[in-house]
């Protein structure tokens, strides 16, 4: 049901000319719920019965409550939805006669949106509990104030639905719902024949590339926390280790309403839901018809206020023209405004930059995309397990290497402790991480499943270091940042040394929600607020909006469709563009350049996406080679709040571009 509803919302969004943003958010929440529910299904399908019996009763009861509530909300939504999609004509608008009788129930739909968000928050908390390494950790999550608050909200929603829909006779348990057990979430709403359906990539989501002989998808067991990119539908129309304190779990670029830390996930409390509802009821469409820069800035200020975030920065690139809008303050509680050259951590886009530098070396003939890891790292070929011998650099770039194990669990946690040690530099850490994974068999057969993982990019960075004798940081500066004049781009938290001690912030601070749901700054110099230096090739670069647009321009110029005479075109050519931007395997979405490819109307074909959040920042980056345009949005807050804010920022970019084109 959730997949079908999400698909129908996408259809309405594209065809209903006066579609309000509630539709967009609902469609996003439906696809998010589909991914989360799929993971619950995968866990119970792949976990031995003996282990399932060890799950606490409180966890099973919470799952039952959450999944039943989700089913009830979707049932109500489906009834409200009936007839709407069918009234859309092939011409792309509501039939004239139907416009008179159809009224969009904005208040009702907004309340249902609140419920979807609450269901999503509950499921993500419970998924974290299911993926815990111990019963103690499960119970800690279940007994946390945020989990209890979220489940209480879900229970209230269910009781409300029972009261308002007494004739429906909703069951008392999800187990009482009769469903053909052979069906999965992915068979409930089969796509039309010939229709291209891009895969969905979410936290905890693992996507099979090939199918079994039976024709059914062959999913592998769930591996925690290593799909950390967001399938962002914003573009619809689309430290030293202490014996007492273990090093923190790595913060991965993630969204989907999930905190990137190892602690309990933020819940959507009732007060926050009321706040969201008050701001979403009957929004003015006039404020979204963006035709001037001042209207864009007003809309961005509205996003700042609605999500209570410190700052937001967006960039729009169309042909050779760029437009920037930076609004807000650097640090919550301080008046220092953000400016044009301020730097934000760019999450998983760091990995795309690393793969771009690899493409530059390939252009020179120094190495090939199809070079195997044993060939690329001859010094360590005797250490690399035989199962990795056919794994290539392009497979690492596309995150289909088969390596999925949590980095903090490798070698019994010894690797993670080493990476966090004060005397471990980036090169030594990358070498240790790469060899720790390559000395053991992959978790999944290479080339069969997309799973975003730090180690894929770390291996590529190590290959560059081994071939040049230089550090990855030096290579990035020499080969990418300096040629593109990206002088406000660097590594780790921006201006960390000064920014952490100055009375007034010198750069945007990272932020997150505290236990009370309040957005607060986090000191960039404190241990655990950012990843170890060894992981920076995958998630550790900071950059300004002008510099990010310069990087995206390089990718647009590489397609060969641009008339630009800028020096950046000499770095990459059309051959590299095909590898960086094209799907590695037919019918899939991941590219050797680290992008995810998906069709979008505004892109006049496939758009390329990368994004997520970690370390107190969130970002969303879109590239459309066919229409020669790009959008970027970054904010200095992480978690689901940052993800939703960047969603809105990208949506504004598409409306601004449409209004001015």
């Amino acid at each position: 049901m959730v997949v079908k509803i999400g698909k129908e919302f996408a259809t309405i969004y594209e065809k209903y000319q006066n579609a309000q943003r509630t539709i967009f958010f609902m469609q996003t929440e439906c696809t998010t719920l589909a991914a989360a529910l799929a993971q619950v299904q995968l866990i119970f399908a792949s976990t031995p019965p003996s282990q399932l019996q060890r799950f606490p009763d409180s966890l099973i009861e919470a799952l039952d409550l959450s999944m039943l509530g989700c089913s009830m909300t979707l049932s109500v939504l489906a009834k409200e939805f009936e007839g709407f999609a069918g009234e859309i004509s092939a011409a792309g608008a509501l039939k004239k006669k139907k416009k008179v009788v159809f009224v969009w129930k904005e208040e009702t739909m907004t309340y249902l949106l609140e419920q979807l968000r609450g269901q999503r928050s509950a499921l993500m908390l419970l998924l974290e509990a299911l993926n815990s390494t111990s019963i103690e950790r499960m119970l800690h999550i279940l007994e946390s104030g945020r989990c209890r608050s979220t489940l209480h909200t879900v229970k209230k929603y269910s009781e409300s639905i029972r009261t308002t829909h007494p004739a429906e006779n909703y069951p008392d348990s999800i187990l009482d719902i009769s469903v053909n057990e052979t069906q999965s979430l992915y068979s409930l709403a089969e796509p039309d024949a010939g229709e291209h359906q891009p895969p969905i990539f979410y936290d905890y989501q693992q996507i099979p590339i090939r199918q079994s002989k039976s024709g059914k998808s062959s999913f592998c067991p769930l591996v925690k926390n290593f799909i950390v990119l967001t399938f962002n539908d914003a573009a619809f129309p689309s430290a030293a280790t202490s014996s007492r304190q273990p090093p923190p779990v790595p913060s991965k670029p993630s969204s989907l309403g999930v905190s990137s830390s190892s602690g309990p996930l933020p819940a959507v409390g009732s007060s926050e839901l009321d706040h969201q509802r008050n701001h979403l009821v009957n929004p003015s469409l006039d404020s979204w018809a963006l035709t001037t820069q001042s209207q864009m800035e007003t809309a961005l200020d509205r996003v700042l206020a609605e999500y209570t975030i410190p700052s937001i920065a967006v960039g729009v690139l169309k042909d050779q023209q760029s437009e920037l809008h930076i609004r807000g303050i650097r640090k919550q509680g301080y008046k220092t405004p953000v400016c044009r050259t301020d730097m934000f951590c760019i999450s998983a886009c760091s990995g795309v930059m690393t793969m771009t530098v690899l493409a530059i070396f390939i252009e020179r003939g120094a190495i090939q995309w199809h070079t195997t890891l044993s060939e690329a790292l001859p010094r360590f070929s005797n250490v690399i397990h035989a199962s990795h011998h056919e794994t290539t650099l392009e497979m690492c770039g596309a995150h289909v290497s088969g390596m999925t194990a949590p980095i903090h669990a490798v070698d019994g946690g010894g690797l993670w402790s080493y990476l966090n040690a004060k005397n471990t530099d980036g090169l030594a850490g990358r070498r240790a991480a790469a060899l720790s994974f390559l000395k053991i068999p992959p978790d999944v057969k290479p080339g069969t499943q997309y799973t975003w993982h730090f180690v894929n990019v770390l291996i590529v960075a190590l290959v560059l270091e081994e071939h040049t004798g230089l550090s990855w940081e030096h290579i990035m500066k020499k080969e990418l940042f300096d040629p593109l004049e990206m002088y406000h781009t660097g590594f780790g938290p921006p201006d960390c040394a000064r920014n952490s001690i100055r009375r007034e912030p010198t750069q945007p601070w990272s932020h997150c929600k505290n236990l009370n749901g309040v957005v607060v700054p986090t000191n960039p110099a404190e241990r655990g607020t950012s990843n170890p230096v060894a992981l920076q090739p995958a998630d550790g670069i900071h950059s300004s909006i002008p510099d990010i647009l310069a990087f995206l321009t390089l990718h647009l110029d590489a397609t060969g469709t641009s008339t630009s005479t800028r020096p950046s075109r000499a770095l990459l050519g059309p051959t590299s563009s095909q590898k960086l931007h094209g799907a590695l395997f037919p019918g899939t979405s991941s590219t050797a350049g680290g992008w995810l490819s998906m069709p979008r109307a505004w892109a006049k074909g496939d758009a390329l996406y990368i994004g997520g959040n970690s370390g107190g920042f969130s970002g969303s980056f879109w590239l459309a080679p066919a229409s020669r345009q790009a959008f970027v949005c970054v904010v200095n807050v992480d978690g689901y709040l940052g993800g939703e804010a960047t969603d809105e920022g990208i949506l504004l970019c598409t409306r601004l571009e449409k209004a001015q084109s």
Side-chain angles (χ1 to χ4, degrees):
M1 181 187 294
V2 63
V3 177
K4 181 178 180 181
I5 291 176
K7 179 180 175 182
E8 290 176 341
F9 268 129
T11 302
I12 289 180
Y13 199 103
E14 292 178 353
K15 293 184 177 181
Y16 183 37
Q17 295 176 352
N18 294 322
Q20 303 202 16
R21 61 179 181 164
T22 307
I23 300 177
F24 156 68
F25 284 128
M26 280 188 159
Q27 196 277 332
T28 301
E29 295 297 338
C30 284
T31 50
T32 303
L33 282 171
L37 290 169
Q39 289 312 301
V40 174
Q41 182 185 38
L42 292 180
I43 291 173
F44 281 88
S46 60
T47 303
S50 59
Q51 294 187 25
L52 289 175
Q53 293 176 1
R54 296 176 60 244
F55 287 167
D57 290 342
S58 57
L59 175 60
I60 302 301
E61 291 171 1
L63 277 169
D64 188 43
L65 172 65
S66 178
M67 296 180 70
L68 179 62
C70 184
S71 174
M72 293 170 66
T73 301
L74 291 170
S75 175
V76 174
L77 184 59
K79 289 187 176 296
E80 293 288 342
F81 192 78
E82 284 179 1
F84 185 27
E87 302 300 343
I88 299 178
S89 68
L94 286 175
K95 299 174 183 178
K96 292 182 178 179
K97 293 182 179 179
K98 295 296 181 181
K99 286 184 178 180
V100 178
V101 299
F102 179 79
V103 178
W104 175 259
K105 302 175 183 178
E106 180 64 22
E107 185 171 358
T108 299
M109 302 305 281
T110 299
Y111 185 61
L112 290 173
L113 172 60
E114 293 174 8
Q115 294 193 28
L116 291 175
R117 284 173 167 163
Q119 306 293 355
R120 179 250 298 176
S121 295
L123 278 175
M124 296 316 300
L125 274 166
L126 296 175
L127 274 172
E128 186 185 9
L130 283 169
N131 283 281
S132 298
T133 56
S134 67
I135 298 298
E136 290 75 13
R137 177 62 181 162
M138 284 186 182
L139 294 174
H140 174 75
I141 295 172
L142 292 170
E143 294 169 3
S144 67
R146 282 181 286 185
C147 188
R148 290 198 301 268
S149 174
T150 303
L151 292 174
H152 177 69
T153 301
V154 169
K155 185 176 181 180
K156 285 175 58 179
Y157 287 148
S158 298
E159 292 172 350
S160 175
I161 291 176
R162 292 181 190 278
T163 301
T164 55
H165 298 76
E168 293 299 324
N169 294 320
Y170 291 108
D172 295 326
S173 170
I174 193 69
L175 299 177
D176 296 332
I177 298 178
S178 177
V179 179
N180 186 343
E181 293 182 356
T182 64
Q183 286 187 313
S184 73
L185 270 166
Y186 297 95
S187 64
L188 293 179
E190 294 296 335
D192 298 334
E195 182 179 359
H196 177 66
Q197 293 291 320
I200 301 172
F201 298 90
Y202 275 117
D203 289 55
Y204 306 99
Q205 174 85 1
Q206 296 187 359
I207 304 297
I209 287 178
R210 300 191 176 96
Q211 291 185 327
S212 63
K213 293 181 180 180
S214 65
K216 294 184 179 181
S217 298
S218 178
F219 285 88
C220 295
L222 177 73
V223 179
K224 180 183 178 182
N225 264 349
F226 278 91
I227 294 298
V228 291
L229 303 177
T230 54
F231 176 82
N232 185 328
D233 271 348
F236 268 108
S238 231
T241 304
S242 163
S243 60
R244 295 185 178 181
Q245 182 182 10
V249 174
S251 298
K252 303 171 186 66
S254 64
S255 188
L256 189 86
V258 184
S259 170
S260 58
S261 69
S262 61
L265 304 180
V268 181
S270 58
S271 61
E272 180 174 326
L273 290 173
D274 291 339
H275 169 79
Q276 293 173 342
R277 182 177 184 181
N278 290 337
H279 282 76
L280 285 175
V281 173
N282 300 322
S284 170
L285 288 177
D286 293 337
S287 62
W288 293 87
L290 305 175
T291 58
T292 67
Q293 291 191 12
S294 61
Q295 287 182 337
M296 180 65 164
E297 292 173 354
T298 298
L300 290 173
D301 289 341
R302 175 176 166 181
V303 174
L304 290 177
E306 181 171 324
Y307 291 96
T308 63
I309 59 177
S311 64
I312 185 170
V314 300
V316 177
L317 189 65
K318 178 69 174 178
D319 292 326
Q320 299 181 43
Q321 303 298 318
S322 62
E323 185 171 330
L324 289 73
H325 300 276
I326 296 93
R327 310 292 292 177
I329 55 178
R330 290 174 173 170
K331 181 181 179 182
Q332 205 78 298
Y334 290 77
K335 295 182 180 180
T336 310
V338 288
C339 66
R340 176 187 177 91
T341 56
D342 272 5
M343 299 172 287
F344 295 75
C345 292
I346 60 173
S347 187
C349 191
S350 305
V352 173
M353 289 188 176
T354 299
M355 295 309 302
T356 300
V357 171
L358 176 66
I360 292 173
F361 278 87
I362 291 175
E363 285 269 349
R364 299 172 186 165
I367 200 168
Q368 301 298 320
W369 286 107
H370 55 75
T371 299
T372 64
L373 299 186
S374 55
E375 293 171 340
L377 298 169
R379 226 165 37 105
F380 310 113
S381 59
N382 62 327
V383 181
I384 300 175
H385 193 276
S387 299
H388 294 292
H389 284 180
E390 299 304 315
T391 302
T392 62
L393 293 176
E394 63 184 1
M395 291 166 68
C396 286
H399 296 277
V400 293
S401 67
M403 291 177 277
T404 64
I407 197 167
H408 59 278
V410 172
D411 291 335
L415 171 62
W416 188 240
S417 296
Y418 177 71
L419 295 179
N420 279 274
K422 287 184 177 179
N423 59 347
T424 302
D425 61 25
L427 175 57
R430 285 185 282 276
R431 184 182 298 121
L435 297 183
S436 293
F437 277 88
L438 292 177
K439 71 182 181 182
I440 59 177
D443 304 280
V444 180
K445 183 180 179 181
T448 63
Q449 179 178 290
Y450 175 95
T451 304
W452 193 99
H453 200 305
F454 284 113
V455 75
N456 292 305
V457 185
L458 301 191
I459 289 173
V460 171
L462 179 61
V463 169
L464 294 174
E465 291 173 320
E466 287 288 313
H467 277 255
T468 63
L470 303 172
S471 69
W472 167 79
E473 293 85 354
H474 184 95
I475 297 168
M476 296 297 291
K477 187 176 185 302
K478 178 184 177 182
E479 302 293 345
L480 187 67
F481 301 162
D482 287 351
L484 297 184
E485 300 180 353
M486 297 170 62
Y487 300 136
H488 294 92
T489 300
F491 312 102
D495 197 20
C496 181
R498 294 194 308 155
N499 205 19
S500 61
I501 61 175
R502 291 290 183 92
R503 181 177 179 83
E504 293 293 328
T506 62
Q507 288 291 329
W509 270 49
S510 56
H511 293 76
C512 66
K513 273 193 171 185
N514 64 13
L515 294 176
N516 297 320
V518 179
V519 174
V520 296
T522 57
N523 192 326
E526 288 183 359
R527 176 177 174 271
T529 57
S530 60
N531 287 318
V533 294
L535 305 188
Q536 289 178 354
D539 172 32
I541 293 176
H542 63 251
S543 190
S544 66
I545 291 294
D547 283 8
I548 297 170
L549 291 181
F551 171 70
L552 296 177
T553 298
L554 167 66
H555 278 258
L556 290 179
D557 288 350
T559 62
T561 60
S562 174
T563 59
S564 171
T565 57
R566 290 169 294 203
S568 65
R569 293 202 67 199
L571 297 178
L572 296 173
T575 302
S576 292
S577 176
Q578 293 173 7
K579 276 292 183 182
L580 290 168
H581 304 154
L584 183 58
F585 298 118
T588 64
S589 295
S590 60
T591 79
W595 296 96
L596 297 176
S597 176
M598 53 197 74
R600 288 293 182 269
W602 58 263
K604 299 179 181 179
D606 283 347
L608 300 169
Y609 165 75
I610 194 70
N613 55 54
S614 70
F617 291 85
S618 302
S620 182
F621 311 85
W622 290 83
L623 189 74
S627 59
R628 300 192 302 278
Q629 58 184 323
F631 305 133
V632 56
C633 178
V634 291
V635 299
N636 58 335
V637 64
D638 64 12
Y640 73 93
L641 191 66
E644 290 182 354
T646 54
D647 278 357
E648 286 239 26
I650 294 297
L651 180 60
L652 289 172
C653 288
T654 64
R655 292 179 178 271
L656 178 66
E657 187 280 327
K658 182 178 180 180
Q660 296 184 351
S661 61

